[in-house]
Amino acid sequence: MTLIESIKEFGGYLNRYAHYSVACHCPMTFSVYLPPQAAHGSVPALYWLSGLTCTDDNFRVKAGAQRYAAEHGIALIIPDTSPRGEGVPDVPERYDLGQGAGFYVNAIRPPWDEHFRMYDYVVEELPHLVEMNLPLLPGVKSISGHSMGGHGALIAALKNPGAYRSVSAFSPICHPLKGEWGKGCFTAYLGGNTAQWAAYDATCLVQSGASMPEILIDQGTADEFLAAGQLLPEAFQAACLQAEQPLSLRMQEGYDHSYHFIATFIGEHIAWHARALG
């Protein structure tokens, strides 16, 4: 880890780091907010996964989360959304495939399979790296995210029982097998066998018996991608009801898909995670 930026905020520090990723076989950049409590001892962590087209910069600049993280003594770990750089494949004319659109899966089809292993990066490599190098409580972590990142947060928690104390999401892609974003990326990254897709679909995982103590989702009713059938929270809600998986799905009247929506409710999410993190 090489520190490339450090900014003081709310008594703590917003840092940006670069490192070489073994999972993604390329240099990666990520941000960490260390609250003021980290100067005196190790703290728990909340991982934030961003959505399509984002880098680590969107959340740390637009969400206003650092104020609440400082209040609760929680570190924020903010990875990029995909591998990047020379030699990393991309489809520049598409925002929903390639760089900026890693979908938090381990790709198995060329040309994506060499670098696009964001599931391993987020679940295994990055937690090990930051816990070894920063004042974080080992294994005491929760996860959240937005849109594609909400999908990533849900599958990371559901596929790894006990790894995360809690999981929440804003406007998550809940059932990528049935939405056009998911179909497009999963076909490219995973091939045409939809049985392999199900391992990265939160609705399918709940239907297969995966569970968490509770799941919190906020979804805006004026979200254009909700209306377009990309997010499908109703499918996830139905699966949770059938499986008796505790779910708080809050339909927030009039809110859209933007960071204005996230900034409105991020304080409530961080407080919710803080209770689970102790």
Side-chain angles (χ1 to χ4, degrees), residues 3 30 51 76 92 104 157 167 189 207 238 246 254:
L3 179 67
F30 65 93
L76 302 174
Y104 305 102
V167 59
Y189 297 148
Q207 290 171 337

Side-chain angles (χ1 to χ4, degrees), residues 139-155:
V140 184
K141 61 185 187 292
S142 293
I143 192 164
S144 186
H146 171 233
S147 193
M148 178 185 73
H151 142 79
L154 291 173
I155 64 167

Side-chain angles (χ1 to χ4, degrees), residues 52-119:
L52 290 167
T53 75
C54 292
T55 68
D56 62 306
D57 200 40
N58 297 73
F59 179 73
R60 70 183 205 149
V61 170
K62 297 179 179 179
Q66 291 91 310
R67 177 190 298 275
Y68 304 106
E71 290 176 5
H72 293 283
I74 295 172
L76 302 174
I77 315 297
I78 312 164
D80 201 346
T81 55
S82 77
R84 299 180 193 271
E86 187 177 352
V88 175
D90 193 19
V91 185
E93 65 273 17
R94 288 184 59 178
Y95 74 91
D96 58 345
L97 181 66
Q99 294 186 33
F103 248 88
Y104 305 102
V105 304
N106 288 336
I108 58 175
R109 289 190 66 207
W112 311 103
D113 52 341
E114 180 181 359
H115 298 288
F116 280 71
R117 302 189 62 82
M118 288 300 294
Y119 178 80

Side-chain angles (χ1 to χ4, degrees), residues 40-265:
H40 309 289
S42 297
V43 297
L46 174 62
Y47 287 72
W48 174 268
L49 307 184
S50 294
L52 290 167
T53 75
C54 292
T55 68
D56 62 306
D57 200 40
N58 297 73
F59 179 73
R60 70 183 205 149
V61 170
K62 297 179 179 179
Q66 291 91 310
R67 177 190 298 275
Y68 304 106
E71 290 176 5
H72 293 283
I74 295 172
L76 302 174
I77 315 297
I78 312 164
D80 201 346
T81 55
S82 77
R84 299 180 193 271
E86 187 177 352
V88 175
D90 193 19
V91 185
E93 65 273 17
R94 288 184 59 178
Y95 74 91
D96 58 345
L97 181 66
Q99 294 186 33
F103 248 88
Y104 305 102
V105 304
N106 288 336
I108 58 175
R109 289 190 66 207
W112 311 103
D113 52 341
E114 180 181 359
H115 298 288
F116 280 71
R117 302 189 62 82
M118 288 300 294
Y119 178 80
D120 281 354
Y121 179 73
V122 165
V123 171
E124 297 178 5
E125 182 176 8
L126 186 59
H128 177 74
L129 181 69
V130 295
E131 288 181 5
M132 288 288 292
N133 289 281
L134 298 173
L136 303 176
L137 291 168
V140 184
K141 61 185 187 292
S142 293
I143 192 164
S144 186
H146 171 233
S147 193
M148 178 185 73
H151 142 79
L154 291 173
I155 64 167
L158 290 167
K159 288 168 68 69
N160 295 278
Y164 301 92
R165 300 287 180 91
S166 53
V167 59
S168 75
F170 290 82
S171 316
I173 301 171
C174 292
H175 198 13
L177 268 71
K178 299 297 184 181
E180 293 307 312
W181 283 338
K183 290 178 183 178
C185 283
F186 281 17
T187 299
Y189 297 148
L190 303 173
N193 183 355
T194 56
Q196 293 178 313
W197 298 10
Y200 296 107
D201 183 299
T203 298
C204 295
L205 289 169
V206 169
Q207 290 171 337
S208 299
S211 65
M212 282 291 290
E214 187 177 1
I215 298 170
L216 171 63
I217 292 176
D218 273 328
Q219 172 64 61
T221 63
D223 187 325
E224 64 272 32
F225 301 113
L226 175 67
Q230 296 281 23
L231 308 178
L232 302 172
E234 65 277 9
F236 187 67
Q237 184 179 42
C240 288
L241 183 63
Q242 180 67 29
E244 299 183 347
Q245 163 63 52
L247 169 67
S248 178
L249 173 59
R250 309 192 307 184
M251 300 301 293
Q252 303 289 4
E253 184 66 31
Y255 285 92
D256 61 15
H257 197 73
S258 73
Y259 267 87
H260 300 286
F261 170 48
I262 297 169
T264 302
F265 297 103

